[in-house]
Amino acid sequence: MNPDIKKERETPAFNVEAVTNLLDGGRDMTERRRQLEALAENDPELLSQPLSFLSQSGCYDNAIKRCARMIQQIEKLGLTDPKDIRLYKRAVFCGRPCPVDLHLGMFLPMLLSQATEDQLQHFFLPAWQCKIIGTYAQTEMGHGTFLRGLETTALYDARTQEFVLNTPTVTAIKWWPGGMGKTANYAVVLAQLHTKGTCQGLNAFIVQLRDLETHEPLPGIIVGDIGPKFGFNDVDNGFLKLENVRIPRTNMLMKFAKVEEDGTYVRPPSDKLAYGTMVFIRALIVSESSYVLAKACTIAIRYSVVRRQSQQTPGAPEPQILDYQTQQHKLLPLLATTYAFHFIGNYVSKMYQNISESVDAGNYSQLNELHATSAGLKAFTTWVVVAGVETCRMACGGHGFSCASGLPELYTNSAPSCTYEGENTVMMLQTARYLMKCVRLVRNGILLEGNVMYLNPAFDNRPRLNPQSVASLVGAFCDRATWLVTHASQGLQSQLNCGKSQEEAWNSMLVELVRASESHCHYVVVKTFAEELEGVQDSGSRAVLSSLCHLYALHGITQHSGDFMQAGVLKGEELEQVSKILRTLLSSLRRQAVPLTDAFDISDTQLSSVLGRYDGNVYSALYAWARTAPLNKSQVHESYYKYMKPLQKSKL
């Protein structure tokens, strides 16, 4: 054990195991997670060389090998609880993406949420047993988040009771679905439904892509991999071109919307029901965002107590770089953010479960709030996480640029989250539409409930900001959101009063609308973090989490001080007080930083980082890692004999 990191663990001000249990949802859940991780980490079939040394084809081959082993073990171990399966899958892939992500995360949930009983009997069991491996084909080359713009068509032929699917233009080709390139043999395809001469909008269809015996594409199916990407090299993101592909009428997912035998279209009770699985995935993304940031913070903070740099006093030892206030200011607010995002992830997941139960009971009244909340928080958390991972990488200096650190891969694998399942700016604007609707309701005398209650008149005239009080800081974020949402609404109305159309007025206020949505999401995160503290029983855990919540809120104020000043919440002298308290918190949390990362309980295998090793023996491990690089298999590379030696012997 490195002596510096050992010393960091000697005097934690809280019970590390108690915080781990809290994050997992209880002691039993911690033990269960550790059991599942041990099953994966001790499985000799899952050993492999570092992925950094593999080609794209090698990464995919390794991922498919792991997929096959994972599926066998899920069956052998009798895992049926979705949470157990997610934990075991995360352990098998060390949190990286895999080729069957959309099969497990979209295809199966789509069947469960939108298939009829007959369709479930026909498709679900083979899909659960992975005889059918599905993907989700929504995004096209020319359209992504704008669903109404999708061009793929499904024309109903009443004579044969079949749908005829086509991608009529090059921009209609399905593009990006994970697992599409080489893995999946089925897909849920989103297409514009045409029946009885009318386009009825987007609907979902189950389409077989490949022969179940040979895995060759079926007639009319042109499918393949889209090629190398910025990251995600374990996953075969693919393209799909459909040329007069016929499927039975019963392959349309018809739990809600239906096409009768004669072609009559029956609309769903709510248009939002079609997006239920997407909302589910967005809730998962919010939940997983904290895990990604937890990894990055663990790596950067552990390395920052092992790395020593410069000499403040002649003859004195070089200080640990985490002792520099600038390093604390980079990393400790991100550590606080990780905990904040953990609690907001739990909140969104519970919200999704509760509203899904209401929908099953025929109550669709909360769907708009669920859609708006999940969209906004998906964007808010992923933007912060991706930027945070890069901050952690840069905080590790030159070694952070090495793939041995684990941070480059963590960045490239998290960066797509800002785009998939809804491009973030568009997601924020969807939340903004909901907020503008809420403002109009209040103006019409209707009181709001849930996370938008702050827009009600009763929330006016709050006391002045007290930076020492977390409750007062929650109120400050509430006031900021109120001001920015109201300001955006007034700006829209002003544009309309000037004679602009709704579309022109909206476009002229997009920046303010995104700011309003961000402030709303920020308020919900701070409020949720503060509320979760009330339920923490262990006093030591509550104290350290309260400090993290305090730091998270204060850092948010300093980052957006202009907003708080515009909202009348903050004055210049109060901002200086906020900054002073923030610096005090950085200093007090400095000695708790390593124990707080230990509480995430991420094993070295799962962390996949030389710099973030639990024992802190970074330098010897980094050297050993470099020695195993394929380029070092021989002392003289073959290119020397092919190119350099002839060049050196030639007369130039």
Side-chain angles (χ1 to χ4, degrees), residues 251-267:
N251 275 30
M252 173 182 164
L253 289 174
M254 291 198 280
K255 181 176 181 179
F256 300 113
K258 296 180 177 65
V259 171
E260 307 287 4
E261 292 184 7
D262 66 353
T264 301
Y265 181 69
V266 180
R267 303 196 67 81

Side-chain angles (χ1 to χ4, degrees), residues 53-64:
F53 299 151
L54 299 179
S55 64
Q56 181 191 10
S57 179
C59 286
Y60 175 69
D61 183 88
N62 175 72
I64 288 296

Side-chain angles (χ1 to χ4, degrees), residues 97 101 229-237 412-414 416-417 420:
D101 275 348
K229 308 172 291 287
F230 185 52
F232 261 59
N233 288 319
D234 307 65
V235 179
D236 52 323
N237 295 86
T412 56
N413 284 340
S414 61
S417 64
Y420 61 56

Side-chain angles (χ1 to χ4, degrees), residues 344-481:
I344 198 64
N346 287 348
Y347 170 82
V348 175
S349 296
K350 290 174 186 174
M351 182 182 185
Y352 174 81
Q353 293 167 3
N354 292 338
I355 294 178
S356 293
E357 290 172 4
S358 296
V359 168
D360 290 341
N363 179 3
Y364 309 115
S365 62
Q366 294 176 291
L367 278 175
N368 284 337
E369 182 181 5
L370 173 63
H371 176 75
T373 301
S374 62
L377 287 173
K378 179 266 182 188
F380 182 81
T381 55
T382 54
W383 267 333
V384 171
V385 165
V386 173
V389 172
E390 177 65 356
T391 296
C392 289
R393 185 194 68 77
M394 291 190 289
C396 291
H399 293 327
F401 193 68
S402 169
C403 288
S405 73
L407 290 164
E409 183 186 43
L410 200 58
Y411 180 81
T412 56
N413 284 340
S414 61
S417 64
C418 294
T419 307
Y420 61 56
E421 302 309 324
E423 193 278 328
N424 278 0
T425 301
V426 177
M427 292 297 95
M428 280 295 185
L429 290 171
Q430 289 184 7
T431 302
R433 286 195 184 276
Y434 174 72
L435 294 173
M436 295 303 102
K437 179 182 177 182
C438 289
V439 172
R440 291 195 297 272
L441 291 174
V442 169
R443 286 174 182 163
N444 291 329
I446 299 173
L447 292 180
L448 304 173
E449 298 180 351
N451 286 322
V452 289
M453 284 179 63
Y454 64 87
L455 294 172
N456 291 332
F459 275 77
D460 292 345
N461 302 317
R462 193 183 306 278
R464 292 297 306 168
L465 174 68
N466 176 8
Q468 297 281 8
S469 165
V470 170
S472 178
L473 294 174
V474 173
F477 278 87
C478 176
D479 290 345
R480 172 198 176 212

Side-chain angles (χ1 to χ4, degrees), residues 51 81 99 126 154 160 181 209 233 302-303 332 342 345 362 364 381 401 421 423 514 565 591:
L51 296 185
D81 186 298
T160 61
L209 306 178
N233 288 319
R302 285 180 179 173
Y303 178 64
L332 299 188
H342 171 81
Y364 309 115
T381 55
F401 193 68
E421 302 309 324
E423 193 278 328
V514 170
M565 287 181 169
R591 292 297 163 194

Side-chain angles (χ1 to χ4, degrees), residues 45-51 54-72 89 92-101 104 133 179 182-183 229 232-237 409 413:
E45 295 294 320
L46 296 175
L47 297 176
S48 67
Q49 69 181 118
L51 296 185
L54 299 179
S55 64
Q56 181 191 10
S57 179
C59 286
Y60 175 69
D61 183 88
N62 175 72
I64 288 296
K65 175 185 175 182
R66 286 174 174 269
C67 283
R69 180 62 173 175
M70 176 184 71
I71 292 163
Q72 290 170 351
K89 174 187 166 295
V92 168
F93 287 92
C94 300
R96 290 186 294 268
C98 82
V100 297
D101 275 348
L104 298 173
I133 298 177
K182 297 294 177 184
T183 308
K229 308 172 291 287
F232 261 59
N233 288 319
D234 307 65
V235 179
D236 52 323
N237 295 86
E409 183 186 43
N413 284 340

